C-alpha cells in the first residue's frame, strides 16, 4: 500500500469563487460524442467520474446559440430552455457524488459550420471558416457583438438553472470566438475590438464580466485559455501575449484553466510527446500573475507528479481529460492507496478519434467508457461468476488479457496460455517500435492485476493445439489468438490485382520487422493499412540505416491518424527523416531489385529501385485452433478480439471485456439487448 498520507494535499478542499471543490481533482471539459444527442449516456459517464472521486466534473463544449452549431458532432447544447432538462441529468448525477458540475459554454465563431442551423458563420473579420467547407464567416458588427454578449449571458443563466456550479468562458483550442478575437492573424478589425492586445481581449473581458454579473453570486466563473499556440513567433506565445492576457484579466475569473492550443498540441500523443506533464513549462508562471486558483493539464496520471505540481506552485488543481477517461477512479485509487491499480492513459488519442468520427467515445485502456448507461458497465465492478468454474483463455494480447482479467474478477478459475515467451501479444510487439513504448501500459496494467490473483494461472511458451486444449478438461474456452499480417500484398486497393511478386524478392511483413528482421539498403514500405503502423515501421527502418521509400494509395501518410490528431506530425517526421513519400500509388510488381507502382488516377507506372519491400496491407485471423476445436464437445468456444474481427487495440480490449461480461449471461439477453438506445421522442412539440 502506498503512502496515502503523503498525498493528502491532493485531497484538500479549495474555494473557487462562491463554491468549494472537495479536492484538487478536476475533470476539465472534454468531448464524449454523447452530449445533447445522448443525454442519459452523457449523464452516466460524468456521474461515473464523480463516483470515481473527481472534485469537479465538466461537460464538453456546450453551444450557446444556433450560430454556433457543431452538427453533425454531438457536443453539448444550451440554445434555449428546452436544453436544460438534459443537462440537469448530468448535474444531478455529478452532485449525487458530492462533486461540482462545470459547463463549458462556447461560441465557436469560425470553427462552427452551422450545417444544421444554416445560420451565417460569425468571425472577428470576414474570412474562410476553419473547416474545409464551402463557407465564409462574416465579421460581427456592433449589433452582433451586443447579441453575442446577450446569448452568452442568457446561456449562463440557463446553465445556472440546470444546476451547474462552475460556468466557463472559453478561449482555447482555436475553436472559439473569444480566442479568435485575440489572435492577430484572425482579427483584422480597426474598431475597439481589434489592433492592440487590450482591444483584442475586450470581448473576452466583457464575456467574463457579463457571466460574473449574471451568475457570479452562486456560480464560479472559469476561464479556459490557450496560452500558447506552439507556433513560435507566428502565434500567441506564453511568454509574450499569452502573459499579457493573463495580466489583463488576472483576477477577473474565479478559476484559470490554462492549456496550450490547438487541440493537437493540448492532447499530444505519447508518440510525439512522451513526457507526462508536458505543459508545465507553459503554464508555470500563471499563478505568479493571478491570485485565483489555476488548473492545468498534460496527461497527468502519476500521483507523485500531481503532488509535485501542487508543491511547486505550478497549479492548484490537477486537470485531466484523457487520464480521467482511461481511469475515472484515479482519485479514489490514490485516496485508498491503490496506486498500482491506476489504468494509465497511453496517449493514443483513440478517444479524440471518436469525436472526429462523430461516434460515442472509445478508449484503448477503458472499455467501459461511454457504455455506463447503454450497457450498464461500471469500470470497477462486474457481475459475480455464474455456474461454471474453470475457464481457459488462449492468447495474451489485449483481448486475451482483458478477457482473462475480467473473468478472474468475476471469480472464475482462469488458465491463460500464451505461445510466445512473453505475455502481451500485439501491444508488446508494437510497444518496441519507435514512439510506441506507452502501448505497453495496456499489458502492464492487466498483467499486474492478473499476477496478484490466486484464481489465475498463466503459462507462457505454451502454444496449444486442439488435443492439448481438450486434455486440459476445461469446457469454457476463449480464443484470443490474434492475427498475422499478410505477405501477399492483398489489401484495400490491391484486392482486384494483388502485386505480382518474384519469389526471389525480399518481402517482409510488419510481423517480420517486429520479430527482429532487418532489411538492408533501399526499402519500399507499402502502406495499404493507413492507420499508424506503416509510418512507425518506416521510422524503424530509418533507425536501422535503411533508405526508405514510402508508397501509399492514400493522398497522405497514415491518413487515419488525422483522427488521432497526429497525421501532420507523422508526415513531418518522415519528411525530416529523409523518407521519400510517394502518395496516390498502388503496388504493381515486386522484383528482387525494384517495385513498380501505378498512379491511382492515371494508371501511369513508375519503377522504384529497392532491395526489399515491407507490405503493410491486411491481417488474417488466426482461427486454426478454433476450427480444430469445433465439434469437440466444449460448452463455450468463442473467438475474441482480433481473431474475431481485426481492428484497433481498443477494439480488442473492448471485445475481451464484452466476452467476459457476456459469459453465462442468458443467451437471449446477450443477443437481443445489444445496448439501450436513446430514441427521439415523437410526441408533438408545443409550437
Ligand atoms: P488481440 O489483439 O486479439 O489480443 P494479439 O495478436 O495481440 O491479439 O494476441 C494474440 C496472441 O495469441 C499472440 O500473443 C499469440 O502468440 C497468441 N496465440 C495465438 N495462437 C495461440 C495458441 N494456439 N496457443 C497459445 N497462444 C497463441
Ligand atoms: Fe488515453 Fe488512449 Fe484512452 Fe484516450 S483512448 S484516454 S489517449 S488511453
Amino acid at each position: 500500500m502506498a503512502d496515502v498520507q503523503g498525498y493528502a494535499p491532493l485531497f484538500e478542499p479549495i474555494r473557487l469563487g462562491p463554491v468549494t471543490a472537495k479536492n484538487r481533482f478536476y475533470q476539465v471539459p472534454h468531448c464524449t460524442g454523447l452530449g445533447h444527442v445522448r443525454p442519459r449516456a452523457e449523464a452516466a459517464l460524468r456521474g461515473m467520474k464523480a463516483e470515481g472521486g473527481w472534485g469537479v466534473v465538466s461537460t464538453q463544449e456546450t453551444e450557446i446559440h444556433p450560430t454556433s452549431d457543431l452538427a453533425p458532432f454531438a457536443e453539448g447544447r444550451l440554445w434555449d430552455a428546452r436544453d436544460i432538462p438534459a443537462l440537469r441529468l448530468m448535474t444531478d448525477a455529478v452532485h449525487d457524488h458530492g462533486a461540482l458540475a462545470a459547463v463549458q459554454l462556447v461560441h465557436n465563431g469560425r470553427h462552427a459550420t452551422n450545417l444544421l442551423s444554416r445560420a451565417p458563420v460569425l468571425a472577428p473579420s470576414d474570412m474562410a471558416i476553419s473547416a474545409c467547407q464551402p463557407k465564409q464567416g462574416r465579421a460581427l458588427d456592433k449589433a452582433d457583438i451586443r447579441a453575442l454578449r446577450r446569448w452568452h449571458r442568457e446561456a449562463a443563466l440557463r446553465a445556472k438553472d440546470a444546476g451547474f456550479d462552475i460556468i466557463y468562458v472559453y478561449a482555447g483550442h482555436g475553436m472559439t470566438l473569444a480566442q479568435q478575437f485575440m489572435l492577430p492573424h484572425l482579427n483584422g478589425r480597426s474598431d475597439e475590438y481589434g489592433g492592440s492586445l487590450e482591444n483584442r481581449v475586450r470581448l473576452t473581458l466583457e464575456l467574463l464580466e457579463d457571466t460574473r454579473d449574471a451568475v457570479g453570486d452562486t456560480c464560479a466563473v472559469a476561464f479556459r485559455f490557450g496560452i500558447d499556440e506552439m507556433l513560435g513567433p507566428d502565434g500567441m506565445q506564453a511568454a509574450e501575449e499569452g502573459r499579457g492576457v493573463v495580466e489583463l484579466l488576472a483576477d477577473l475569473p474565479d478559476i484559470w484553466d490554462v492549456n496550450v492550443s490547438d487541440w493537437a498540441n493540448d492532447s499530444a500523443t505519447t508518440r510525439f510527446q512522451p513526457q507526462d506533464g508536458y505543459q508545465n513549462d507553459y503554464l508555470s508562471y500563471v499563478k505568479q500573475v493571478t491570485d485565483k486558483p489555476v488548473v492545468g493539464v498534460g496527461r497527468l496520471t502519476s500521483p507523485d507528479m500531481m503532488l509535485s505540481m501542487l508543491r511547486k506552485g505550478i497549479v492548484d488543481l490537477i486537470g485531466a481529460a484523457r487520464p480521467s477517461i482511461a481511469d475515472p477512479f484515479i482519485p479514489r485509487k490514490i485516496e485508498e492507496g491503490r496506486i498500482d491499480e491506476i489504468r494509465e492513459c497511453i496517449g493514443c488519442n483513440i478517444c479524440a478519434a471518436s469525436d472526429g468520427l462523430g461516434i460515442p467515445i472509445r478508449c484503448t485502456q477503458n472499455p467501459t467508457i461511454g457504455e455506463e448507461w447503454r450497457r450498464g458497465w461500471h469500470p470497477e465492478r462486474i457481475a459475480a461468476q455464474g455456474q461454471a468454474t474453470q475457464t481457459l483463455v488462449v492468447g495474451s494480447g489485449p483481448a486475451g488479457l482483458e478477457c482473462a482479467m475480467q473473468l478472474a474478477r468475476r471469480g472464475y478459475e482462469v488458465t491463460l496460455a500464451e505461445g510466445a515467451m512473453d505475455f502481451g501479444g500485439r501491444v508488446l510487439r508494437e510497444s518496441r517500435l519507435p514512439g510506441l513504448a506507452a502501448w505497453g501500459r495496456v499489458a502492464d496494467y492487466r498483467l499486474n492485476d492478473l499476477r496478484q490473483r490466486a484464481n489465475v494461472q498463466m503459462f507462457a511458451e505454451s502454444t496449444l493445439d486442439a488435443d492439448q486444449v481438450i486434455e486440459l478438461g476445461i469446457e469454457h474456452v476463449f480464443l484470443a489468438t490474434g492475427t498475422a499480417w499478410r505477405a501477399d500484398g492483398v489489401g484495400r486497393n490491391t484486392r482486384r490485382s494483388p502485386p505480382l511478386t518474384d519469389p526471389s524478392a525480399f518481402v517482409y511483413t510488419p510481423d517480420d520487422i517486429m520479430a527482429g528482421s532487418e532489411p538492408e539498403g533501399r526499402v519500399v514500405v507499402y502502406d495499404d493499412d493507413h492507420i499508424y503502423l506503416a509510418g512507425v515501421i518506416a521510422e524503424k527502418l530509418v533507425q536501422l540505416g535503411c533508405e526508405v521509400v514510402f508508397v501509399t494509395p492514400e493522398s497522405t501518410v497514415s491518413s487515419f491518424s488525422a483522427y488521432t490528431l497526429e497525421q501532420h506530425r507523422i508526415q513531418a517526421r518522415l519528411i525530416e527523416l529523409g523518407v521519400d513519400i510517394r502518395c496516390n500509388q498502388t503496388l504493381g510488381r515486386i522484383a528482387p531489385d525494384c517495385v513498380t507502382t501505378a498512379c491511382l488516377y492515371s494508371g501511369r507506372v513508375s519503377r522504384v529501385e529497392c532491395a526489399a519491400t515491407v507490405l503493410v496491407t491486411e491481417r488474417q485471423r488466426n482461427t486454426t485452433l478454433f476450427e480444430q476445436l469445433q465439434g469437440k464437445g466444449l460448452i463455450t468456444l468463442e473467438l475474441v478480439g482480433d481473431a474475431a474481427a481485426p481492428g484497433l487495440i481498443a477494439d480488442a480490449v473492448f471485445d475481451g471485456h464484452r466476452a467476459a461480461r457476456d459469459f453465462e449471461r442468458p443467451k437471449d439477453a446477450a443477443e437481443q439487448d445489444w445496448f439501450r438506445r436513446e430514441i427521439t421522442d415523437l410526441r408533438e412539440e408545443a409550437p
Side-chain angles (χ1 to χ4, degrees), residues 7 98 244 497 555:
Y7 298 121
S497 52
S555 55

Side-chain angles (χ1 to χ4, degrees), residues 108-357:
N108 294 96
R110 74 186 280 266
H111 178 68
T113 46
N114 297 350
L115 292 170
L116 175 68
S117 66
R118 303 186 78 171
V121 172
L122 300 174
S125 302
D126 283 5
M127 68 181 72
I129 65 169
S130 41
C132 192
Q133 295 276 352
K135 276 189 176 205
Q136 291 202 189
R138 71 165 162 78
L140 288 98
D141 62 22
K142 291 291 170 52
D144 292 329
I145 290 180
R146 281 195 298 278
L148 170 73
R149 290 180 60 184
R150 194 180 72 246
W151 301 334
H152 201 282
R153 181 188 172 89
E154 288 171 357
L157 288 165
R158 289 192 287 275
K160 180 176 166 175
D161 263 8
F164 285 102
D165 311 286
I166 298 173
I167 299 186
Y168 267 86
V169 172
Y170 177 24
H173 296 125
M175 292 181 186
T176 83
L177 205 44
Q179 188 190 22
Q180 291 154 20
F181 264 72
M182 279 185 206
L183 302 175
H185 69 282
L186 296 177
N187 182 341
R189 303 176 73 97
S190 52
D191 62 5
E192 67 268 35
Y193 290 94
S196 66
L197 181 65
E198 202 168 357
N199 281 356
R200 285 180 276 122
V201 172
R202 188 178 310 280
L203 177 65
T204 299
L205 185 130
E206 289 171 347
L207 294 175
L208 284 165
E209 284 176 347
D210 293 345
T211 309
R212 166 165 294 225
D213 183 56
V215 298
D217 53 340
T218 56
C219 301
V221 178
F223 179 46
R224 196 175 202 195
F225 175 48
I227 199 164
D228 196 302
E229 291 187 277
M230 299 182 88
L231 295 171
D234 291 339
M236 180 170 278
Q237 290 181 279
E240 313 266 330
E241 286 209 328
R243 185 178 185 118
V245 174
V246 185
E247 285 171 355
L248 282 169
L249 302 175
D251 289 341
L252 196 50
D254 296 311
I255 306 159
W256 278 87
D257 176 350
V258 189
N259 57 16
V260 292
S261 190
D262 56 8
W263 190 19
N265 289 322
D266 186 22
S267 290
T269 56
T270 36
R271 183 166 169 192
F272 293 94
Q273 193 55 272
Q275 195 60 48
D276 295 350
Y278 54 86
Q279 300 199 23
N280 285 356
D281 289 347
Y282 294 92
L283 53 93
S284 53
Y285 68 79
V286 178
K287 265 183 66 59
Q288 293 155 25
V289 183
T290 174
D291 290 331
K292 296 302 170 93
V294 175
V295 55
V297 292
R299 231 176 32 234
L300 306 171
T301 51
S302 144
D304 290 328
M305 170 164 286
M306 295 175 188
L307 198 59
S308 100
M309 285 172 68
L310 288 193
R311 290 232 164 94
K312 287 184 187 153
I314 298 173
V315 291
D316 302 286
L317 294 123
I318 305 300
R322 292 174 296 173
S324 76
I325 295 167
D327 194 340
F329 277 65
I330 288 179
R332 287 262 297 263
K333 288 178 181 175
I334 297 175
E335 194 169 24
E336 292 165 11
R338 298 185 288 128
I339 285 156
D340 64 345
E341 291 180 33
I342 292 175
R343 215 169 26 246
E344 292 174 303
C345 168
I346 69 166
C348 62
N349 277 4
I350 290 303
C351 50
S354 320
D355 186 62
L357 290 162

Side-chain angles (χ1 to χ4, degrees), residues 394-400 417-420 422 424-427 429 462-465 480-483 619 622 625 640-643 652:
V394 182
S396 71
E418 166 57 55
D422 298 307
R426 65 179 286 198
V427 289
R429 295 193 295 273
S462 304
T463 303
L464 299 186
D465 61 22
T481 44
T483 55
R619 287 177 288 158
N622 294 331
L625 185 56
V640 179
D642 282 308

Side-chain angles (χ1 to χ4, degrees), residues 63-66 77-85 155 158 685:
E63 307 160 356
I64 60 169
H65 191 262
R77 184 164 284 173
L78 204 38
W79 288 0
D80 60 47
R82 290 169 300 177
D83 295 313
I84 293 174
R158 289 192 287 275
E685 204 182 315

